[in-house]
Every structure is written in structure tokens, then in C-alpha cells.
Amino acid sequence: MTTNSKDMNGSFIEEQNAPQNDPRAFRRALGQFATGVTVVTTDTPQGPVGMAVNSFAAVSLDPPLVSWSIRNESKNLKAFAEGEHFAVSVLADDQVDACSVFGRPQEGQFSEIPWTKSAHGDPLLDQAIAHFECTLEEAHLSGDHHILIGRVHSFTRFSGDPLLFSQGQYKVAVEHPQLANTAASGSSSNGVSNTTDEPLFVSLLKSTEQYLSEQFGEYRDELGLDVAETRVINLLDLSPSNPAQLAAGALMRVDAIEDTLSDLDAKGITSKNASGLYELTAKGWQTRAALLASATGFNDRMLELVDPKDLETTRQVLMTLLTS
């Protein structure tokens, strides 16, 4: 059930229902909790098996235990629930392709992504920011999933930032905008002392981008669209696409794209063509035009107080940074 009412704290209630009445909305609510992204693997007599997992969690430091869950209907359930060992690769923020490869069962997964063998022969993905080599401690049936608990026998931590998943989209970790205040008070967000009273330029860039994104959200809300729907509409403006293509372009998981397309179909904004690809309807093209008009108007309003010469200088600085 969708609603535009506010709760006692003034926040908008986007959806409210019982899980059994609207499973997709329930999944979206769960998606408000941000997670990291891992690929869990194991070696079997038939060859290596792997799958993308965002339910990975620490259970205990002493003994060293971790957990993750797998659907009962997964074709990989037997390999993991009845196996003796598995490995976990925590993905870096530039490993979206690896997550896509292991997001759904497909042939040749391990030929597409570089990896090395653990002590038990389980694949460890290269470029990951952490590896955990585990033996299976317990497997519990719980609802429509099995919860697997592993004992960590070896771990490796690498440099790098994590790939995140939240609200149906891949995201990256950035410093909180409040940290930009430390730059103005004499410390930069990277911990380096700043002896001037001026915030560092990079801190200003981060804070400005986040502020503008939040401000434009109000314009998007007026059109009854969320971020995911806006991304899909913009991509379909380029060409008709299937869910996998849209997922790659929008940096979203395929199941989240399918939910978004279902919502857009219900609004009459998208539909499948004779080739089975999704495309914008007449209403969809009108919505795309309204989005573009909103973005143009927002751009003009945000910059109306900026001197054109200063704006051009800033544009040149940003282009230099992007191409350096």
C-alpha cells in the first residue's frame, strides 16, 4: 500500500503493509538496510560453484564464525549445505561486473573473472578487498532459506573500498557530508591538517554533489518517480533494452530492475515490444521530456546567481580534473 502521509517524525511514508500482502514492497523495505556484496564459492567434484551474496555477516569473534543465507530453491543449495567448506570474497567498489556474473547461475562464470584457489580449492576472486576461507559449521533451515554458519580458518584483508547494495542499487561508500565541516575548522576529510579557514576543494565538490542530488529529488518526486525509475527511463531513451542490459547501465541488480519495470509498466510508462525488449510508451516519452525539463530548470535555478565567467572557469576546472 503506497501512501504520501508523514509519520510522527515528519518523514514521508512511502509504503506500509503486511509482508504477506505485498512481498515486493516488503523486499524494498528490507532494501533500506545497506549491505556489502560478496561472492561465496566452493569446490565440488563437478567443478567450482559460486554465487553473489549480500546476506554475509559476522557472527562471532571467538570462535571466529560468519554466516550467510541461500534460498531453498537455489540449484546451488546442495553444494553449499552439504559441502565441507566455502570461501567468501568481499567485493571492491569496482567489481560490479563480478557481482553481475555471479548474480544468476550461468555457464562459464569462472572463466570470466580471475581467481585463485584457497587451501581447500575454493575460488577466491582477485581484486576483492577481503577473503575468508571457511569450513561449514552448521546449516539451519529457516523459512524459505538455509542459514549457513562457517568457521573462519584464514582471512586476508586488502586495500580498497567496498561495493555496497542498498534500495535495489549498487552504491559506493563516501565520507559523510558532515565531515566536510572539519575542513573548514582546520582538518581535511582525509585526516590531513588544513591550516587555512577555507574548506578543501575536494570536500566542497563532495558536499555540493550530495546537496544538489537531494535538492533535485524534490523535482523527481513531483513527477511520482524514484531514483531507479528515473535511471531506467533515461536508459530507455537511448534504446529498447532487456532487464540485464538495464541492470548493467543503471548499476542495479536484475531483480530490482524487474521490480522497477513492473512498476513502470503499471504506470503506463514502459511496455515490451515485439522483440521482447522494454521501451518507452507515448506516456513514457512525455515523462522523459518532463524529467529533462525539470533537470534543465533545476540547473538554471541553481546557477542563476553564479557569474557566467565564474561558471565557465569552474566548468574548465572540472573538465581538467576529469581528464587528468
Side-chain angles (χ1 to χ4, degrees), residues 1-2 13 15-23 25-26:
M1 178 175 61
T2 302
I13 299 174
E15 297 174 307
Q16 189 175 50
N17 214 324
Q20 66 271 21
N21 293 338
D22 195 340
F26 177 51

Side-chain angles (χ1 to χ4, degrees), residues 213-283:
S213 179
E214 292 173 0
Q215 293 298 307
F216 183 69
E218 298 178 5
Y219 290 79
R220 188 173 53 243
D221 292 342
E222 291 178 358
L223 296 175
L225 301 171
D226 60 26
V227 174
E229 290 171 333
T230 300
R231 289 182 181 178
V232 169
I233 290 171
N234 289 338
L235 288 169
L236 291 180
D237 176 44
L238 301 176
S239 65
S241 305
N242 60 40
Q245 292 168 331
L246 292 171
L251 293 183
M252 295 172 60
R253 286 198 338 200
V254 174
D255 56 357
I257 283 289
E258 290 171 343
D259 283 352
T260 299
L261 288 168
S262 179
D263 292 337
L264 290 173
D265 282 358
K267 294 177 181 179
I269 292 175
T270 60
S271 65
K272 275 188 178 181
N273 61 23
S275 300
L277 301 177
Y278 285 88
E279 61 184 8
L280 295 176
T281 63
K283 181 179 179 181

Side-chain angles (χ1 to χ4, degrees), residues 233-234 237 280 283-293:
I233 290 171
N234 289 338
D237 176 44
L280 295 176
K283 181 179 179 181
W285 286 110
Q286 294 173 356
T287 303
R288 166 61 181 149
L291 270 173
L292 182 58

Side-chain angles (χ1 to χ4, degrees), residues 57-107:
V59 174
S60 170
L61 292 177
D62 186 15
L65 303 176
V66 296
S67 71
W68 61 285
S69 59
I70 181 172
R71 289 181 298 111
N72 298 337
E73 61 188 44
S74 171
K75 76 171 192 176
N76 293 327
L77 174 62
K78 183 176 181 180
F80 286 107
E82 298 182 8
E84 297 180 352
H85 46 78
F86 61 84
V88 179
S89 297
V90 180
L91 299 188
D93 56 10
D94 60 354
Q95 289 188 291
V96 172
D97 288 347
C99 187
S100 298
V101 167
F102 290 97
R104 289 192 171 188
Q106 54 183 295
E107 296 294 328

Side-chain angles (χ1 to χ4, degrees), residues 29 77 86 89 94 138 142 156 159 163 172 174 196 205 217 243 253 301 311 315:
L77 174 62
F86 61 84
S89 297
D94 60 354
E138 302 175 54
S142 183
T156 307
S159 61
L163 178 64
V172 296
V174 296
T196 73
L205 284 179
R253 286 198 338 200
R301 279 185 282 277
L311 180 60
R315 193 190 311 276

Side-chain angles (χ1 to χ4, degrees), residues 92-259:
D93 56 10
D94 60 354
Q95 289 188 291
V96 172
D97 288 347
C99 187
S100 298
V101 167
F102 290 97
R104 289 192 171 188
Q106 54 183 295
E107 296 294 328
Q109 290 171 306
F110 289 94
S111 65
E112 298 185 40
I113 303 297
W115 56 277
T116 55
K117 285 186 177 183
S118 72
H120 290 113
D122 305 324
L124 297 167
L125 270 60
D126 295 355
Q127 283 83 55
I129 60 172
H131 290 151
F132 298 94
E133 300 177 41
C134 312
T135 53
L136 181 63
E137 190 88 350
E138 302 175 54
H140 299 281
L141 172 62
S142 183
D144 58 5
H145 278 65
H146 272 68
I147 300 172
L148 305 185
I149 297 177
R151 180 180 290 261
V152 180
H153 292 274
S154 177
F155 70 88
T156 307
R157 182 172 70 90
F158 304 92
S159 61
D161 294 315
L163 178 64
L164 303 181
F165 189 74
S166 176
Q167 299 175 327
Q169 305 166 53
Y170 295 113
K171 297 186 178 182
V172 296
V174 296
E175 294 171 339
H176 196 283
Q178 288 182 0
L179 291 176
N181 295 333
T182 62
S185 61
S187 298
S188 73
S189 59
N190 61 11
V192 179
S193 176
N194 178 18
T195 57
T196 73
D197 291 331
E198 295 294 328
L200 296 181
F201 184 68
V202 172
S203 297
L204 281 175
L205 284 179
K206 291 180 179 179
S207 298
T208 301
E209 190 278 331
Q210 291 172 337
Y211 171 75
L212 292 178
S213 179
E214 292 173 0
Q215 293 298 307
F216 183 69
E218 298 178 5
Y219 290 79
R220 188 173 53 243
D221 292 342
E222 291 178 358
L223 296 175
L225 301 171
D226 60 26
V227 174
E229 290 171 333
T230 300
R231 289 182 181 178
V232 169
I233 290 171
N234 289 338
L235 288 169
L236 291 180
D237 176 44
L238 301 176
S239 65
S241 305
N242 60 40
Q245 292 168 331
L246 292 171
L251 293 183
M252 295 172 60
R253 286 198 338 200
V254 174
D255 56 357
I257 283 289
E258 290 171 343
D259 283 352

